[in-house]
């Protein structure tokens, strides 16, 4: 599962210039590496949640005004959530292909 998570994270960053399709490809490759539906689902969900929460806390920390940082952090959390949707679809496809 760790190999699937790291592959999804690296490929989604490398293929981020292709909106939607890049994260779908990253999910399929990571899902095949995770070997199974359940492992692929968790492997797709964890990096997105970690990045979203990290963006939220860093934006809140580095903004001079806490409320402005909170709003910016929620924007980062929403952007990470949009990427996770395509990653989850790809991970499910890759997990079913690996089974």
């Amino acid at each position: 599962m760790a190999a699937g998570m790291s592959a999804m994270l690296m490929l989604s960053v490398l293929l981020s210039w292709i909106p939607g399709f890049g994260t779908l490809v990253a999910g399929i490759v990571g899902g095949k590496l995770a070997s199974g539906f359940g492992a692929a689902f968790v492997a797709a969900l964890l990096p997105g949640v970690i990045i979203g929460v990290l963006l939220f806390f860093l934006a809140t920390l580095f903004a001079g005004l806490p409320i402005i940082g909170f709003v910016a952090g929620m924007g980062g959390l929403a952007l990470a959530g949009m990427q996770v949707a395509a990653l989850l679809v790809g991970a499910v496809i890759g997990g079913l292909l690996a089974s």
Side-chain angles (χ1 to χ4, degrees), residues 19-94:
F21 186 69
T23 53
L24 184 69
V25 169
I28 291 172
V29 171
K32 284 186 69 97
L33 286 175
S35 301
F37 176 77
F41 187 79
V42 171
L45 198 60
L46 282 179
V49 168
I50 290 170
I51 288 175
V53 169
L54 200 72
L55 283 173
F56 176 75
F57 283 121
L58 287 176
T60 306
L61 178 71
F62 290 134
L65 300 168
I67 295 181
I68 301 297
F70 180 77
V71 171
M74 290 302 289
L77 191 62
L79 287 174
M82 288 189 297
Q83 290 288 347
V84 168
L87 197 63
L88 278 174
V89 170
V92 167
I93 293 170

